[in-house]
mmCIF file of all heavy atoms in Angstrom:
data_model
loop_
_atom_site.group_PDB
_atom_site.id
_atom_site.type_symbol
_atom_site.label_atom_id
_atom_site.label_comp_id
_atom_site.label_asym_id
_atom_site.label_seq_id
_atom_site.Cartn_x
_atom_site.Cartn_y
_atom_site.Cartn_z
ATOM 1 N N MET A 23 94.753 -28.140 31.803
ATOM 2 C CA MET A 23 93.679 -27.718 30.819
ATOM 3 C C MET A 23 92.528 -27.046 31.619
ATOM 4 O O MET A 23 91.913 -26.177 31.062
ATOM 5 C CB MET A 23 93.270 -28.998 30.025
ATOM 6 C CG MET A 23 92.233 -28.570 29.001
ATOM 7 S SD MET A 23 92.049 -30.016 27.972
ATOM 8 C CE MET A 23 91.686 -29.189 26.403
ATOM 9 N N THR A 24 92.178 -27.554 32.790
ATOM 10 C CA THR A 24 91.120 -27.006 33.513
ATOM 11 C C THR A 24 91.369 -25.529 33.985
ATOM 12 O O THR A 24 90.586 -24.702 34.076
ATOM 13 C CB THR A 24 90.703 -27.813 34.684
ATOM 14 O OG1 THR A 24 91.829 -27.999 35.516
ATOM 15 C CG2 THR A 24 90.092 -29.111 34.273
ATOM 16 N N SER A 25 92.710 -25.277 34.261
ATOM 17 C CA SER A 25 93.061 -23.945 34.622
ATOM 18 C C SER A 25 92.909 -22.936 33.544
ATOM 19 O O SER A 25 92.490 -21.781 33.776
ATOM 20 C CB SER A 25 94.497 -23.887 35.267
ATOM 21 O OG SER A 25 95.389 -24.237 34.221
ATOM 22 N N GLN A 26 93.173 -23.396 32.364
ATOM 23 C CA GLN A 26 92.952 -22.460 31.175
ATOM 24 C C GLN A 26 91.502 -22.265 30.931
ATOM 25 O O GLN A 26 91.041 -21.094 30.587
ATOM 26 C CB GLN A 26 93.558 -23.118 29.927
ATOM 27 C CG GLN A 26 95.094 -23.084 29.940
ATOM 28 C CD GLN A 26 95.660 -23.721 28.698
ATOM 29 O OE1 GLN A 26 94.904 -24.408 27.963
ATOM 30 N NE2 GLN A 26 96.959 -23.549 28.401
ATOM 31 N N THR A 27 90.609 -23.237 31.117
ATOM 32 C CA THR A 27 89.227 -23.071 30.962
ATOM 33 C C THR A 27 88.669 -22.116 31.980
ATOM 34 O O THR A 27 87.806 -21.300 31.741
ATOM 35 C CB THR A 27 88.491 -24.441 31.068
ATOM 36 O OG1 THR A 27 89.103 -25.342 30.103
ATOM 37 C CG2 THR A 27 87.042 -24.346 30.756
ATOM 38 N N ALA A 28 89.140 -22.253 33.217
ATOM 39 C CA ALA A 28 88.677 -21.451 34.370
ATOM 40 C C ALA A 28 89.172 -19.951 34.111
ATOM 41 O O ALA A 28 88.380 -19.004 34.350
ATOM 42 C CB ALA A 28 89.201 -21.946 35.692
ATOM 43 N N ALA A 29 90.359 -19.829 33.567
ATOM 44 C CA ALA A 29 90.825 -18.436 33.333
ATOM 45 C C ALA A 29 89.991 -17.805 32.140
ATOM 46 O O ALA A 29 89.786 -16.632 32.238
ATOM 47 C CB ALA A 29 92.295 -18.515 32.961
ATOM 48 N N PHE A 30 89.673 -18.556 31.173
ATOM 49 C CA PHE A 30 88.831 -17.983 30.051
ATOM 50 C C PHE A 30 87.473 -17.663 30.570
ATOM 51 O O PHE A 30 86.951 -16.579 30.220
ATOM 52 C CB PHE A 30 88.731 -19.076 28.967
ATOM 53 C CG PHE A 30 87.908 -18.688 27.846
ATOM 54 C CD1 PHE A 30 88.383 -17.649 26.976
ATOM 55 C CD2 PHE A 30 86.592 -19.207 27.611
ATOM 56 C CE1 PHE A 30 87.560 -17.175 25.872
ATOM 57 C CE2 PHE A 30 85.813 -18.728 26.623
ATOM 58 C CZ PHE A 30 86.267 -17.739 25.745
ATOM 59 N N ALA A 31 86.917 -18.421 31.416
ATOM 60 C CA ALA A 31 85.605 -18.165 31.956
ATOM 61 C C ALA A 31 85.646 -16.935 32.809
ATOM 62 O O ALA A 31 84.739 -16.086 32.770
ATOM 63 C CB ALA A 31 85.030 -19.322 32.750
ATOM 64 N N ALA A 32 86.660 -16.774 33.547
ATOM 65 C CA ALA A 32 86.788 -15.609 34.471
ATOM 66 C C ALA A 32 87.060 -14.326 33.631
ATOM 67 O O ALA A 32 86.520 -13.294 33.913
ATOM 68 C CB ALA A 32 88.002 -15.787 35.437
ATOM 69 N N SER A 33 87.860 -14.436 32.533
ATOM 70 C CA SER A 33 88.067 -13.281 31.740
ATOM 71 C C SER A 33 86.797 -12.880 30.952
ATOM 72 O O SER A 33 86.572 -11.680 30.739
ATOM 73 C CB SER A 33 89.215 -13.483 30.756
ATOM 74 O OG SER A 33 88.914 -14.460 29.787
ATOM 75 N N LYS A 34 86.031 -13.880 30.509
ATOM 76 C CA LYS A 34 84.822 -13.645 29.855
ATOM 77 C C LYS A 34 83.751 -12.912 30.712
ATOM 78 O O LYS A 34 83.165 -11.940 30.326
ATOM 79 C CB LYS A 34 84.196 -14.877 29.257
ATOM 80 C CG LYS A 34 82.964 -14.789 28.471
ATOM 81 C CD LYS A 34 82.536 -16.024 27.972
ATOM 82 C CE LYS A 34 81.265 -15.918 27.094
ATOM 83 N NZ LYS A 34 80.735 -17.186 26.629
ATOM 84 N N LYS A 35 83.748 -13.292 32.021
ATOM 85 C CA LYS A 35 82.868 -12.710 32.960
ATOM 86 C C LYS A 35 83.308 -11.276 33.293
ATOM 87 O O LYS A 35 82.505 -10.438 33.419
ATOM 88 C CB LYS A 35 82.845 -13.577 34.253
ATOM 89 C CG LYS A 35 81.871 -13.082 35.249
ATOM 90 C CD LYS A 35 81.858 -14.032 36.475
ATOM 91 C CE LYS A 35 80.777 -13.609 37.428
ATOM 92 N NZ LYS A 35 80.815 -14.495 38.623
ATOM 93 N N SER A 36 84.609 -11.100 33.388
ATOM 94 C CA SER A 36 85.091 -9.771 33.693
ATOM 95 C C SER A 36 84.918 -8.747 32.550
ATOM 96 O O SER A 36 84.850 -7.577 32.808
ATOM 97 C CB SER A 36 86.594 -9.766 34.055
ATOM 98 O OG SER A 36 87.385 -10.238 33.009
ATOM 99 N N VAL A 37 84.742 -9.229 31.372
ATOM 100 C CA VAL A 37 84.472 -8.407 30.225
ATOM 101 C C VAL A 37 82.919 -8.158 30.056
ATOM 102 O O VAL A 37 82.585 -7.041 29.818
ATOM 103 C CB VAL A 37 85.056 -8.999 28.974
ATOM 104 C CG1 VAL A 37 84.549 -8.218 27.738
ATOM 105 C CG2 VAL A 37 86.601 -8.957 28.937
ATOM 106 N N LEU A 38 82.193 -9.120 30.383
ATOM 107 C CA LEU A 38 80.741 -9.069 30.206
ATOM 108 C C LEU A 38 80.071 -8.179 31.220
ATOM 109 O O LEU A 38 79.153 -7.459 30.970
ATOM 110 C CB LEU A 38 80.132 -10.481 30.272
ATOM 111 C CG LEU A 38 78.756 -10.597 29.814
ATOM 112 C CD1 LEU A 38 78.580 -10.136 28.380
ATOM 113 C CD2 LEU A 38 78.342 -12.066 29.912
ATOM 114 N N LEU A 39 80.574 -8.182 32.459
ATOM 115 C CA LEU A 39 79.948 -7.399 33.531
ATOM 116 C C LEU A 39 79.988 -5.863 33.307
ATOM 117 O O LEU A 39 78.891 -5.295 33.375
ATOM 118 C CB LEU A 39 80.605 -7.726 34.935
ATOM 119 C CG LEU A 39 79.958 -7.049 36.139
ATOM 120 C CD1 LEU A 39 78.563 -7.461 36.301
ATOM 121 C CD2 LEU A 39 80.861 -7.379 37.350
ATOM 122 N N PRO A 40 81.057 -5.304 32.900
ATOM 123 C CA PRO A 40 81.041 -3.862 32.655
ATOM 124 C C PRO A 40 80.081 -3.520 31.464
ATOM 125 O O PRO A 40 79.473 -2.504 31.513
ATOM 126 C CB PRO A 40 82.474 -3.446 32.299
ATOM 127 C CG PRO A 40 83.319 -4.589 32.854
ATOM 128 C CD PRO A 40 82.442 -5.761 32.910
ATOM 129 N N ILE A 41 79.978 -4.397 30.465
ATOM 130 C CA ILE A 41 79.121 -4.148 29.353
ATOM 131 C C ILE A 41 77.653 -4.186 29.823
ATOM 132 O O ILE A 41 76.912 -3.274 29.453
ATOM 133 C CB ILE A 41 79.340 -5.166 28.252
ATOM 134 C CG1 ILE A 41 80.685 -4.981 27.589
ATOM 135 C CG2 ILE A 41 78.269 -5.168 27.167
ATOM 136 C CD1 ILE A 41 81.105 -6.135 26.647
ATOM 137 N N ILE A 42 77.264 -5.065 30.628
ATOM 138 C CA ILE A 42 75.963 -5.140 31.145
ATOM 139 C C ILE A 42 75.627 -3.933 32.007
ATOM 140 O O ILE A 42 74.546 -3.347 31.889
ATOM 141 C CB ILE A 42 75.670 -6.435 31.917
ATOM 142 C CG1 ILE A 42 75.743 -7.632 30.931
ATOM 143 C CG2 ILE A 42 74.373 -6.437 32.733
ATOM 144 C CD1 ILE A 42 75.773 -9.005 31.575
ATOM 145 N N VAL A 43 76.599 -3.592 32.834
ATOM 146 C CA VAL A 43 76.346 -2.396 33.779
ATOM 147 C C VAL A 43 76.162 -1.083 32.927
ATOM 148 O O VAL A 43 75.241 -0.305 33.226
ATOM 149 C CB VAL A 43 77.526 -2.236 34.825
ATOM 150 C CG1 VAL A 43 77.467 -0.937 35.528
ATOM 151 C CG2 VAL A 43 77.498 -3.459 35.758
ATOM 152 N N CYS A 44 76.971 -0.986 31.920
ATOM 153 C CA CYS A 44 76.846 0.268 31.128
ATOM 154 C C CYS A 44 75.540 0.225 30.337
ATOM 155 O O CYS A 44 74.941 1.281 30.159
ATOM 156 C CB CYS A 44 78.024 0.334 30.096
ATOM 157 S SG CYS A 44 79.624 0.794 30.946
ATOM 158 N N ALA A 45 75.114 -0.912 29.832
ATOM 159 C CA ALA A 45 73.857 -1.019 29.083
ATOM 160 C C ALA A 45 72.699 -0.654 29.961
ATOM 161 O O ALA A 45 71.800 0.088 29.595
ATOM 162 C CB ALA A 45 73.696 -2.314 28.452
ATOM 163 N N VAL A 46 72.672 -1.163 31.249
ATOM 164 C CA VAL A 46 71.585 -0.828 32.142
ATOM 165 C C VAL A 46 71.609 0.580 32.560
ATOM 166 O O VAL A 46 70.512 1.248 32.556
ATOM 167 C CB VAL A 46 71.702 -1.761 33.392
ATOM 168 C CG1 VAL A 46 70.796 -1.335 34.519
ATOM 169 C CG2 VAL A 46 71.445 -3.224 33.051
ATOM 170 N N PHE A 47 72.825 1.146 32.751
ATOM 171 C CA PHE A 47 72.941 2.519 33.158
ATOM 172 C C PHE A 47 72.480 3.447 31.976
ATOM 173 O O PHE A 47 71.709 4.410 32.135
ATOM 174 C CB PHE A 47 74.391 2.850 33.523
ATOM 175 C CG PHE A 47 74.534 4.268 34.055
ATOM 176 C CD1 PHE A 47 73.956 4.646 35.238
ATOM 177 C CD2 PHE A 47 75.388 5.190 33.318
ATOM 178 C CE1 PHE A 47 74.187 5.929 35.756
ATOM 179 C CE2 PHE A 47 75.542 6.480 33.819
ATOM 180 C CZ PHE A 47 74.914 6.863 35.028
ATOM 181 N N GLY A 48 72.823 3.168 30.793
ATOM 182 C CA GLY A 48 72.439 3.844 29.587
ATOM 183 C C GLY A 48 70.943 3.819 29.418
ATOM 184 O O GLY A 48 70.310 4.843 29.095
ATOM 185 N N LEU A 49 70.339 2.648 29.565
ATOM 186 C CA LEU A 49 68.908 2.555 29.377
ATOM 187 C C LEU A 49 68.162 3.299 30.451
ATOM 188 O O LEU A 49 67.112 3.912 30.195
ATOM 189 C CB LEU A 49 68.432 1.090 29.418
ATOM 190 C CG LEU A 49 68.794 0.331 28.082
ATOM 191 C CD1 LEU A 49 68.585 -1.143 28.312
ATOM 192 C CD2 LEU A 49 68.134 0.825 26.844
ATOM 193 N N ALA A 50 68.728 3.333 31.721
ATOM 194 C CA ALA A 50 68.136 4.033 32.768
ATOM 195 C C ALA A 50 68.177 5.553 32.512
ATOM 196 O O ALA A 50 67.223 6.253 32.712
ATOM 197 C CB ALA A 50 68.811 3.789 34.085
ATOM 198 N N ILE A 51 69.276 6.026 31.981
ATOM 199 C CA ILE A 51 69.352 7.484 31.590
ATOM 200 C C ILE A 51 68.351 7.769 30.525
ATOM 201 O O ILE A 51 67.664 8.850 30.632
ATOM 202 C CB ILE A 51 70.757 7.817 31.115
ATOM 203 C CG1 ILE A 51 71.760 7.795 32.290
ATOM 204 C CG2 ILE A 51 70.790 9.209 30.430
ATOM 205 C CD1 ILE A 51 73.201 7.969 31.914
ATOM 206 N N ILE A 52 68.180 7.031 29.546
ATOM 207 C CA ILE A 52 67.268 7.269 28.468
ATOM 208 C C ILE A 52 65.813 7.216 28.967
ATOM 209 O O ILE A 52 64.991 8.103 28.702
ATOM 210 C CB ILE A 52 67.417 6.205 27.315
ATOM 211 C CG1 ILE A 52 68.713 6.485 26.608
ATOM 212 C CG2 ILE A 52 66.293 6.321 26.339
ATOM 213 C CD1 ILE A 52 69.147 5.416 25.593
ATOM 214 N N PHE A 53 65.522 6.255 29.849
ATOM 215 C CA PHE A 53 64.197 6.180 30.385
ATOM 216 C C PHE A 53 63.841 7.382 31.196
ATOM 217 O O PHE A 53 62.764 7.992 31.143
ATOM 218 C CB PHE A 53 64.047 4.891 31.241
ATOM 219 C CG PHE A 53 62.690 4.657 31.819
ATOM 220 C CD1 PHE A 53 61.681 4.191 31.077
ATOM 221 C CD2 PHE A 53 62.503 4.927 33.162
ATOM 222 C CE1 PHE A 53 60.395 4.015 31.617
ATOM 223 C CE2 PHE A 53 61.259 4.746 33.769
ATOM 224 C CZ PHE A 53 60.164 4.306 33.005
ATOM 225 N N VAL A 54 64.788 7.799 32.115
ATOM 226 C CA VAL A 54 64.533 8.915 32.988
ATOM 227 C C VAL A 54 64.357 10.211 32.207
ATOM 228 O O VAL A 54 63.484 10.951 32.463
ATOM 229 C CB VAL A 54 65.654 9.001 34.097
ATOM 230 C CG1 VAL A 54 65.593 10.360 34.833
ATOM 231 C CG2 VAL A 54 65.628 7.905 35.072
ATOM 232 N N THR A 55 65.294 10.420 31.311
ATOM 233 C CA THR A 55 65.210 11.673 30.469
ATOM 234 C C THR A 55 63.978 11.696 29.523
ATOM 235 O O THR A 55 63.513 12.764 29.215
ATOM 236 C CB THR A 55 66.492 11.899 29.689
ATOM 237 O OG1 THR A 55 66.674 10.832 28.759
ATOM 238 C CG2 THR A 55 67.634 12.146 30.587
ATOM 239 N N GLY A 56 63.515 10.563 29.198
ATOM 240 C CA GLY A 56 62.329 10.458 28.348
ATOM 241 C C GLY A 56 61.059 10.856 29.066
ATOM 242 O O GLY A 56 60.073 11.200 28.513
ATOM 243 N N HIS A 57 61.097 10.730 30.428
ATOM 244 C CA HIS A 57 59.915 11.001 31.239
ATOM 245 C C HIS A 57 59.988 12.341 32.015
ATOM 246 O O HIS A 57 59.003 12.682 32.674
ATOM 247 C CB HIS A 57 59.659 9.843 32.196
ATOM 248 C CG HIS A 57 59.089 8.644 31.554
ATOM 249 N ND1 HIS A 57 59.701 7.986 30.502
ATOM 250 C CD2 HIS A 57 57.955 8.019 31.774
ATOM 251 C CE1 HIS A 57 58.936 6.977 30.112
ATOM 252 N NE2 HIS A 57 57.920 6.882 30.874
ATOM 253 N N VAL A 58 61.048 13.040 31.855
ATOM 254 C CA VAL A 58 61.220 14.238 32.639
ATOM 255 C C VAL A 58 60.787 15.461 31.682
ATOM 256 O O VAL A 58 60.770 15.256 30.525
ATOM 257 C CB VAL A 58 62.651 14.452 33.157
ATOM 258 C CG1 VAL A 58 63.577 14.863 32.072
ATOM 259 C CG2 VAL A 58 62.745 15.445 34.293
ATOM 260 N N GLN A 59 60.321 16.462 32.326
ATOM 261 C CA GLN A 59 59.881 17.665 31.561
ATOM 262 C C GLN A 59 61.049 18.344 30.841
ATOM 263 O O GLN A 59 62.162 18.389 31.402
ATOM 264 C CB GLN A 59 59.214 18.622 32.440
ATOM 265 C CG GLN A 59 57.897 18.146 32.979
ATOM 266 C CD GLN A 59 57.304 19.082 33.989
ATOM 267 O OE1 GLN A 59 57.788 20.169 34.277
ATOM 268 N NE2 GLN A 59 56.083 18.703 34.557
ATOM 269 N N ALA A 60 60.874 18.835 29.675
ATOM 270 C CA ALA A 60 61.924 19.448 28.901
ATOM 271 C C ALA A 60 62.537 20.579 29.570
ATOM 272 O O ALA A 60 63.783 20.869 29.467
ATOM 273 C CB ALA A 60 61.407 19.810 27.473
ATOM 274 N N GLU A 61 61.820 21.353 30.255
ATOM 275 C CA GLU A 61 62.273 22.526 30.958
ATOM 276 C C GLU A 61 63.242 22.197 32.063
ATOM 277 O O GLU A 61 64.335 22.795 32.232
ATOM 278 C CB GLU A 61 61.181 23.392 31.576
ATOM 279 C CG GLU A 61 61.644 24.646 32.247
ATOM 280 C CD GLU A 61 60.503 25.483 32.756
ATOM 281 O OE1 GLU A 61 59.261 25.266 32.289
ATOM 282 O OE2 GLU A 61 60.672 26.329 33.607
ATOM 283 N N LEU A 62 63.028 21.125 32.744
ATOM 284 C CA LEU A 62 63.903 20.627 33.788
ATOM 285 C C LEU A 62 65.279 20.162 33.165
ATOM 286 O O LEU A 62 66.300 20.478 33.755
ATOM 287 C CB LEU A 62 63.268 19.419 34.502
ATOM 288 C CG LEU A 62 64.036 18.840 35.701
ATOM 289 C CD1 LEU A 62 64.184 19.975 36.832
ATOM 290 C CD2 LEU A 62 63.382 17.618 36.189
ATOM 291 N N LEU A 63 65.180 19.508 32.057
ATOM 292 C CA LEU A 63 66.443 19.117 31.372
ATOM 293 C C LEU A 63 67.286 20.321 30.927
ATOM 294 O O LEU A 63 68.462 20.347 31.058
ATOM 295 C CB LEU A 63 66.176 18.211 30.214
ATOM 296 C CG LEU A 63 65.751 16.766 30.496
ATOM 297 C CD1 LEU A 63 65.438 16.029 29.231
ATOM 298 C CD2 LEU A 63 66.886 16.019 31.227
ATOM 299 N N HIS A 64 66.555 21.321 30.370
ATOM 300 C CA HIS A 64 67.256 22.488 29.960
ATOM 301 C C HIS A 64 67.914 23.253 31.065
ATOM 302 O O HIS A 64 69.091 23.657 30.997
ATOM 303 C CB HIS A 64 66.226 23.428 29.258
ATOM 304 C CG HIS A 64 66.866 24.727 28.903
ATOM 305 N ND1 HIS A 64 67.702 24.916 27.900
ATOM 306 C CD2 HIS A 64 66.812 25.989 29.529
ATOM 307 C CE1 HIS A 64 68.159 26.209 27.785
ATOM 308 N NE2 HIS A 64 67.523 26.835 28.762
ATOM 309 N N ASP A 65 67.233 23.331 32.198
ATOM 310 C CA ASP A 65 67.728 24.054 33.357
ATOM 311 C C ASP A 65 68.922 23.318 33.912
ATOM 312 O O ASP A 65 69.950 23.870 34.323
ATOM 313 C CB ASP A 65 66.720 24.195 34.468
ATOM 314 C CG ASP A 65 65.689 25.138 34.037
ATOM 315 O OD1 ASP A 65 65.834 25.964 33.085
ATOM 316 O OD2 ASP A 65 64.505 25.159 34.665
ATOM 317 N N ALA A 66 68.880 21.950 33.977
ATOM 318 C CA ALA A 66 69.983 21.190 34.406
ATOM 319 C C ALA A 66 71.272 21.336 33.526
ATOM 320 O O ALA A 66 72.338 21.554 34.003
ATOM 321 C CB ALA A 66 69.679 19.706 34.547
ATOM 322 N N ALA A 67 70.972 21.275 32.270
ATOM 323 C CA ALA A 67 72.143 21.437 31.328
ATOM 324 C C ALA A 67 72.717 22.870 31.400
ATOM 325 O O ALA A 67 73.868 23.050 31.337
ATOM 326 C CB ALA A 67 71.676 21.135 29.869
ATOM 327 N N HIS A 68 71.801 23.807 31.604
ATOM 328 C CA HIS A 68 72.228 25.234 31.682
ATOM 329 C C HIS A 68 73.116 25.413 32.929
ATOM 330 O O HIS A 68 74.167 26.098 32.872
ATOM 331 C CB HIS A 68 70.969 26.123 31.750
ATOM 332 C CG HIS A 68 71.266 27.551 31.572
ATOM 333 N ND1 HIS A 68 71.390 28.183 30.298
ATOM 334 C CD2 HIS A 68 71.488 28.524 32.439
ATOM 335 C CE1 HIS A 68 71.696 29.383 30.511
ATOM 336 N NE2 HIS A 68 71.726 29.691 31.769
ATOM 337 N N ASP A 69 72.695 24.848 34.079
ATOM 338 C CA ASP A 69 73.394 24.939 35.283
ATOM 339 C C ASP A 69 74.851 24.300 35.132
ATOM 340 O O ASP A 69 75.812 24.808 35.657
ATOM 341 C CB ASP A 69 72.673 24.404 36.428
ATOM 342 C CG ASP A 69 71.464 25.131 36.772
ATOM 343 O OD1 ASP A 69 71.325 26.269 36.346
ATOM 344 O OD2 ASP A 69 70.531 24.609 37.516
ATOM 345 N N VAL A 70 74.925 23.171 34.488
ATOM 346 C CA VAL A 70 76.148 22.431 34.325
ATOM 347 C C VAL A 70 77.111 23.238 33.481
ATOM 348 O O VAL A 70 78.317 23.362 33.665
ATOM 349 C CB VAL A 70 75.965 20.995 33.736
ATOM 350 C CG1 VAL A 70 77.264 20.416 33.233
ATOM 351 C CG2 VAL A 70 75.240 20.183 34.709
ATOM 352 N N ARG A 71 76.552 23.900 32.401
ATOM 353 C CA ARG A 71 77.366 24.750 31.575
ATOM 354 C C ARG A 71 78.006 25.894 32.319
ATOM 355 O O ARG A 71 79.208 26.226 32.195
ATOM 356 C CB ARG A 71 76.544 25.311 30.353
ATOM 357 C CG ARG A 71 76.227 24.262 29.356
ATOM 358 C CD ARG A 71 75.469 24.950 28.230
ATOM 359 N NE ARG A 71 74.966 23.862 27.311
ATOM 360 C CZ ARG A 71 73.753 23.884 26.730
ATOM 361 N NH1 ARG A 71 72.940 24.937 27.002
ATOM 362 N NH2 ARG A 71 73.406 22.998 25.932
ATOM 363 N N HIS A 72 77.224 26.554 33.190
ATOM 364 C CA HIS A 72 77.694 27.647 34.013
ATOM 365 C C HIS A 72 78.707 27.123 35.022
ATOM 366 O O HIS A 72 79.739 27.798 35.264
ATOM 367 C CB HIS A 72 76.566 28.336 34.732
ATOM 368 C CG HIS A 72 75.811 29.303 33.818
ATOM 369 N ND1 HIS A 72 76.374 30.449 33.341
ATOM 370 C CD2 HIS A 72 74.548 29.284 33.316
ATOM 371 C CE1 HIS A 72 75.517 31.088 32.587
ATOM 372 N NE2 HIS A 72 74.359 30.394 32.537
ATOM 373 N N ALA A 73 78.442 25.954 35.623
ATOM 374 C CA ALA A 73 79.373 25.439 36.639
ATOM 375 C C ALA A 73 80.727 25.077 35.989
ATOM 376 O O ALA A 73 81.751 25.190 36.720
ATOM 377 C CB ALA A 73 78.718 24.263 37.276
ATOM 378 N N THR A 74 80.782 24.649 34.784
ATOM 379 C CA THR A 74 82.045 24.268 34.194
ATOM 380 C C THR A 74 82.707 25.412 33.405
ATOM 381 O O THR A 74 83.759 25.284 32.895
ATOM 382 C CB THR A 74 81.777 23.074 33.185
ATOM 383 O OG1 THR A 74 80.883 23.481 32.233
ATOM 384 C CG2 THR A 74 81.347 21.865 33.936
ATOM 385 N N GLY A 75 82.044 26.574 33.336
ATOM 386 C CA GLY A 75 82.602 27.691 32.640
ATOM 387 C C GLY A 75 82.415 27.720 31.180
ATOM 388 O O GLY A 75 83.083 28.472 30.489
ATOM 389 N N PHE A 76 81.569 26.828 30.700
ATOM 390 C CA PHE A 76 81.289 26.757 29.261
ATOM 391 C C PHE A 76 80.313 27.851 28.868
ATOM 392 O O PHE A 76 79.255 27.937 29.435
ATOM 393 C CB PHE A 76 80.777 25.432 28.884
ATOM 394 C CG PHE A 76 80.651 25.097 27.416
ATOM 395 C CD1 PHE A 76 81.820 24.782 26.705
ATOM 396 C CD2 PHE A 76 79.471 25.306 26.747
ATOM 397 C CE1 PHE A 76 81.669 24.513 25.386
ATOM 398 C CE2 PHE A 76 79.335 25.081 25.430
ATOM 399 C CZ PHE A 76 80.530 24.640 24.632
ATOM 400 N N PRO A 77 80.681 28.679 27.877
ATOM 401 C CA PRO A 77 79.733 29.739 27.473
ATOM 402 C C PRO A 77 78.500 29.156 26.808
ATOM 403 O O PRO A 77 78.496 28.332 25.916
ATOM 404 C CB PRO A 77 80.531 30.580 26.450
ATOM 405 C CG PRO A 77 81.546 29.696 25.913
ATOM 406 C CD PRO A 77 81.904 28.692 27.056
ATOM 407 N N CYS A 78 77.363 29.656 27.286
ATOM 408 C CA CYS A 78 76.130 29.163 26.649
ATOM 409 C C CYS A 78 75.126 30.264 26.213
ATOM 410 O O CYS A 78 74.093 30.005 25.705
ATOM 411 C CB CYS A 78 75.366 28.272 27.694
ATOM 412 S SG CYS A 78 74.943 29.128 29.247
ATOM 413 N N HIS A 79 75.621 31.486 26.298
ATOM 414 C CA HIS A 79 74.805 32.536 25.833
ATOM 415 C C HIS A 79 75.524 33.339 24.691
ATOM 416 O O HIS A 79 76.711 33.395 24.642
ATOM 417 C CB HIS A 79 74.504 33.599 26.884
ATOM 418 C CG HIS A 79 73.646 33.006 27.987
ATOM 419 N ND1 HIS A 79 72.326 32.842 27.911
ATOM 420 C CD2 HIS A 79 74.041 32.419 29.186
ATOM 421 C CE1 HIS A 79 71.840 32.272 29.026
ATOM 422 N NE2 HIS A 79 72.922 32.096 29.859
#
């Protein structure tokens, strides 16, 4: 019975960690993009479009 409890705790932890990491990463992206100048974001997106071959004009 204790091995099942330990396995459940390990599986719960292995599921919870990626969720927490993604949430922190997402909030960091929102925070950073919220404080950067709009022109800088536009230029970065524009450069990525050209680098990937996506038409933007």
Side-chain angles (χ1 to χ4, degrees):
M23 186 170 210
T24 55
S25 63
Q26 289 178 347
T27 306
F30 178 72
S33 69
K34 186 177 177 182
K35 185 177 182 180
S36 66
V37 170
L38 192 58
L39 183 62
I41 292 171
I42 292 172
V43 169
C44 287
V46 169
F47 187 65
L49 288 172
I51 289 173
I52 291 170
F53 181 78
V54 168
T55 58
H57 285 56
V58 75
Q59 295 177 356
E61 184 178 340
L62 182 65
L63 285 176
H64 173 78
D65 291 343
H68 193 85
D69 292 344
V70 169
R71 287 182 189 141
H72 281 290
T74 58
F76 189 80
C78 60
H79 297 278

